[in-house]
Amino acid sequence: MKKNEKVRQMKKHWWHQATIYQIYPRSFQDTSGNGIGDLKGITQHLDYLQNLGITAIWLSPVYQSPMDDNGYDISDYQAIADIFGDMADMDYLLSEAKKRDIKIIMDLVVNHTSDEHAWFVEARENPQSPERDFYIWRDQPNDLMSTFSGSAWQQDPASGQYYLHLFSKKQPDLNWENPDLRHKIYEMMNFWIAKGIGGFRMDVIDLIGKIPDLEITGNGPKLHDYLKEMNQATFGKHDLLTVGETWGATPEIAKQYSCPENKELSMVFQFEHIGLQHKPNRPKWDFVDELDVPALKRIFSKWQTELELGQGWNSLFWNNHDLPRVLSIWGNDQEHRQKSGKALAILLHLMCGTPYIYQGEEIGMTNYPFDTLEQVDDIESVNYAKEALANGVSEVAIMESIRRIGRDNARTPMQWDDSLHAGFTSADKPWLAVNPNYKEINVAKALADKESLFYTYQKLITLRKEQDWLVDADFNLLETADKIFAYERRLEKETYLIVVNLSNQTQDFEGLPAHYQTIISNTDLNHIEKTGQLAAWDAFCIKK
Ligand code: TEU
């Protein structure tokens, strides 16, 4: 059967033509005056998100948490953290979002809990408790290391044993080999499904099959068994979007997760393109200055063709709450800020997959000019700085890395308007500083400018909803100059050409056909016809 036929046979879900918007609640909108974003603040802006056209919100964790990792350390999965509001606020957000046909995707963090979760408190206090085996205890540590620096093992004074934490010491890893633990998780998931959520984003879900004694963390032997069991016990009976965060996925592995017949997940976040931000096989802090466009083309082409339609499904993203702002590292956040933002959006959103927009991406928010460690909040950056300083790395070099690639770049408050603190909070001081460029870059200014990046995103989101070729057509990378990323999406009778100049320089391009229909563009195609050249950051899609 032809590839396109296979696609047409594929059962279509709402998320095949949806665009998802990620909200980091801490930084979206404060309504209580404490300098921290909250649930009421999200509800307040649902009309803005409906105008943008998104179908669903991926809501980073709002559960009870000591906030060691800003909510990715959960102490009660079925209670809302006081700083974000209460369950009534959550229920109101769900109902108001539903009125606007916006689904809420909850963040499922079940590789670990907080060390203040009742399970871990009992496990620590009572080594004979059933909860002890909900976690991973050993008499001696091995060489496993934490993502947040240092050993992945923390000794518990009471029992003398060590517990595993692949992230912070306050995030003990759960033992998924324990069936009672697994069923507690499924009960919790069904609590949230019963509330009418639209699905789950699954935090580091590729780690739940770990075999610590063999120092296997990702892609463990039982991982897919657990996901099949989870599917059947919870979301499998509903039409929900499930997206796994899987740093180690290859297209082959991604097929295991997202092939419909496997009954696991809808899709995964793979990070191969994100790996181009730093030197190969080096920690992320060892960043590279310039995007390797040919490598980006190879990676995207591989994922678009090998995760072939009908056998799996791609997610598409540049940003999230863990990543630097793509405009600042791969675009041009100075003289070509909006145009390069449009180019990156056109390039990504016209591929096959479900696109994700991170809060502020749609208005071209940029990295923050951090210059001292006192300005940095994120535990990953703070722990990295401590370790690097102890290893003799200069604070200048450390700050250069954090400024370029630290997670706080994504977590500065959403820039709503040019009033104090960008309209994010009425508090004297927001929890993290607002980017000083907020008077130039904010929602109010974007909405008032019909040529702004916001309207490019709005149009791309509409295209995905209305034009089936974005799901059904195949993907073919075209041979072009290094800095030009060009591909075609073909169906039997239709061919769409997408061309993007990912550089500040003019590039020769003679590929425009005599007759075409412009689908979307950030430039004057007549100019390209006349000169045979693409200006800096020119990007367009035409129907041949
Ligand atoms: O992130 C997984 C993860 O490994 C990232 O921390 C990544 O390695 C790093 O940020 C690269 O810069 C997920 C969540 O997205 C993250 O916010 C949490 O800190 C982490 O899991 C632990 O829950």
Side-chain angles (χ1 to χ4, degrees):
M1 184 192 297
K2 271 192 177 177
K3 194 183 285 190
N4 292 340
E5 274 314 300
K6 204 183 289 182
V7 176
R8 261 193 278 287
Q9 303 303 319
M10 182 175 76
K11 179 176 182 300
K12 296 287 172 52
H13 294 276
W14 60 268
W15 37 265
H16 281 119
Q17 294 191 269
T19 300
I20 316 299
Y21 188 91
Q22 184 194 354
I23 289 179
Y24 194 68
R26 201 179 188 85
S27 306
F28 195 66
Q29 176 71 62
D30 171 25
T31 61
S32 68
N34 65 359
I36 299 171
D38 48 46
L39 288 169
K40 287 193 173 91
I42 298 169
T43 304
Q44 178 182 309
H45 290 295
L46 286 174
D47 289 339
Y48 165 71
L49 296 172
Q50 188 180 32
N51 179 32
L52 177 59
I54 53 106
T55 304
I57 293 167
W58 156 22
L59 181 59
S60 276
V62 291
Y63 319 101
Q64 211 160 76
S65 162
M67 300 295 168
D68 188 57
D69 185 17
N70 289 353
Y72 282 90
D73 51 316
I74 296 165
S75 54
D76 186 339
Y77 289 100
Q78 295 176 217
I80 300 298
D82 295 344
I83 58 168
F84 294 133
D86 57 23
M87 193 55 86
D89 296 326
M90 184 70 227
D91 291 337
Y92 187 61
L93 170 59
L94 283 163
S95 68
E96 286 301 300
K98 188 175 171 68
K99 286 177 190 168
R100 296 163 175 85
D101 293 326
I102 294 175
K103 300 173 190 284
I104 303 289
I105 311 289
M106 297 301 279
D107 209 321
L108 185 74
V109 186
V110 292
N111 172 69
H112 48 271
T113 68
S114 163
D115 67 347
E116 297 181 28
H117 192 289
W119 298 340
F120 191 77
V121 171
E122 176 62 15
R124 187 179 239 164
E125 285 172 3
N126 177 1
Q128 312 311 319
S129 63
E131 288 80 0
R132 184 81 175 187
D133 190 46
F134 282 14
Y135 297 90
I136 298 166
W137 301 87
R138 294 292 185 276
D139 293 334
Q140 288 305 323
N142 60 22
D143 295 335
L144 280 175
M145 299 303 284
S146 161
T147 297
F148 294 163
S149 307
S151 168
W153 298 95
Q154 177 67 20
Q155 187 169 32
D156 166 46
S159 64
Q161 282 197 307
Y162 295 78
Y163 64 84
L164 180 69
H165 62 88
L166 293 180
F167 294 94
S168 88
K169 294 180 175 50
K170 286 181 69 61
Q171 292 171 292
D173 278 58
L174 286 166
N175 170 24
W176 272 75
E177 296 201 41
N178 182 314
D180 295 337
L181 178 273
R182 299 203 303 270
H183 288 98
K184 289 262 187 205
I185 297 293
Y186 304 155
E187 280 169 26
M188 173 271 288
M189 291 175 70
N190 284 323
F191 166 84
W192 284 104
I193 290 170
K195 281 186 171 292
I197 63 171
F200 293 104
R201 176 266 182 178
M202 299 187 182
D203 192 64
V204 287
I205 202 68
D206 58 342
L207 301 181
I208 65 172
K210 64 181 75 76
I211 311 285
D213 299 330
L214 301 178
E215 299 188 11
I216 294 170
T217 51
N219 302 315
K222 296 183 188 166
L223 170 60
H224 295 280
D225 297 338
Y226 296 151
L227 289 175
K228 287 177 172 63
E229 181 186 73
M230 179 194 281
N231 177 302
Q232 293 308 301
T234 63
F235 54 82
K237 303 180 276 297
H238 308 267
D239 189 15
L240 302 184
L241 180 156
T242 49
V243 52
E245 182 195 26
T246 57
W247 279 79
T250 62
E252 266 321 295
I253 294 173
K255 269 187 206 168
Q256 277 189 277
Y257 286 112
S258 61
C259 177
E261 288 74 38
N262 289 355
K263 296 188 187 319
E264 291 185 18
L265 305 179
S266 313
M267 67 193 87
V268 295
F269 290 131
Q270 60 85 15
F271 292 81
E272 193 173 352
H273 59 308
I274 299 299
L276 295 176
Q277 294 177 2
H278 56 79
K279 294 184 180 110
N281 306 314
R282 294 289 303 148
K284 67 181 223 180
W285 309 106
D286 208 351
F287 62 84
V288 295
D289 287 316
E290 195 179 346
L291 168 61
D292 179 346
V293 178
L296 186 75
K297 292 194 270 192
R298 283 194 299 276
I299 290 169
F300 271 131
S301 180
K302 177 175 77 171
W303 279 89
Q304 287 287 300
T305 51
E306 288 183 20
L307 189 53
E308 76 178 85
L309 301 174
Q311 291 194 13
W313 189 251
N314 274 291
S315 65
L316 303 168
F317 68 97
W318 293 123
N319 293 294
N320 67 28
H321 64 292
D322 292 333
L323 300 176
R325 294 277 181 180
V326 69
L327 205 48
S328 295
I329 56 161
W330 285 345
N332 177 321
D333 63 5
Q334 301 304 314
E335 70 272 24
H336 293 297
R337 184 176 65 82
Q338 297 231 49
K339 189 175 183 187
S340 67
K342 293 176 183 180
L344 289 163
I346 288 168
L347 171 62
L348 188 77
H349 281 248
L350 297 180
M351 288 190 214
C352 186
T354 298
Y356 290 73
I357 299 170
Y358 179 66
Q359 68 182 47
E361 173 182 341
E362 78 279 11
I363 60 166
M365 281 176 66
T366 68
N367 273 4
Y368 183 94
F370 296 106
D371 54 37
T372 67
L373 281 172
E374 288 63 45
Q375 294 173 307
V376 173
D377 168 84
D378 172 33
I379 186 166
E380 181 186 56
S381 295
V382 168
N383 287 3
Y384 156 67
K386 278 182 196 147
E387 187 177 65
L389 284 169
N391 291 338
V393 180
S394 73
E395 184 161 340
V396 169
I398 291 167
M399 286 315 302
E400 199 182 351
S401 291
I402 291 175
R403 197 166 35 246
R404 182 156 178 96
I405 216 157
R407 303 195 302 180
D408 283 323
N409 282 304
R411 302 176 180 186
T412 62
M414 183 71 179
Q415 296 164 199
W416 293 105
D417 55 40
D418 61 7
S419 68
L420 184 62
H421 303 317
F424 165 72
T425 181
S426 58
D428 292 342
K429 192 165 181 265
W431 74 279
L432 193 66
V434 172
N435 197 308
N437 63 21
Y438 74 92
K439 288 189 185 292
E440 176 56 30
I441 303 171
N442 62 67
V443 165
K445 198 172 173 75
L447 291 175
D449 170 9
K450 289 306 176 196
E451 296 306 313
S452 71
L453 176 58
F454 174 90
Y455 292 106
T456 296
Y457 271 97
Q458 186 187 59
K459 179 160 186 182
L460 288 165
I461 293 165
T462 302
L463 283 172
R464 183 159 295 276
K465 282 178 185 170
E466 294 176 353
Q467 303 204 7
D468 292 346
W469 65 269
L470 280 161
V471 175
D472 300 338
D474 62 14
F475 174 98
N476 297 276
L477 183 69
L478 303 182
E479 281 302 313
T480 56
D482 275 0
K483 299 285 191 181
I484 297 176
F485 194 142
Y487 60 90
E488 284 185 345
R489 306 262 344 252
R490 296 183 199 134
L491 284 167
E492 285 73 21
K493 297 188 178 59
E494 299 168 45
T495 298
Y496 296 84
L497 169 63
I498 295 92
V499 179
V500 180
N501 176 1
L502 283 174
S503 78
N504 293 313
Q505 291 76 37
T506 299
Q507 305 284 344
D508 292 339
F509 179 77
E510 302 284 352
L512 267 180
H515 304 288
Y516 57 82
Q517 174 197 347
T518 301
I519 302 297
I520 188 170
S521 148
N522 72 356
T523 184
D524 167 13
L525 272 72
N526 295 323
H527 170 79
I528 300 171
E529 282 180 36
K530 285 194 195 89
T531 63
Q533 289 193 317
L534 298 174
W537 301 103
D538 271 358
F540 61 83
C541 172
I542 59 168
K543 183 178 181 182
K544 293 176 104 173

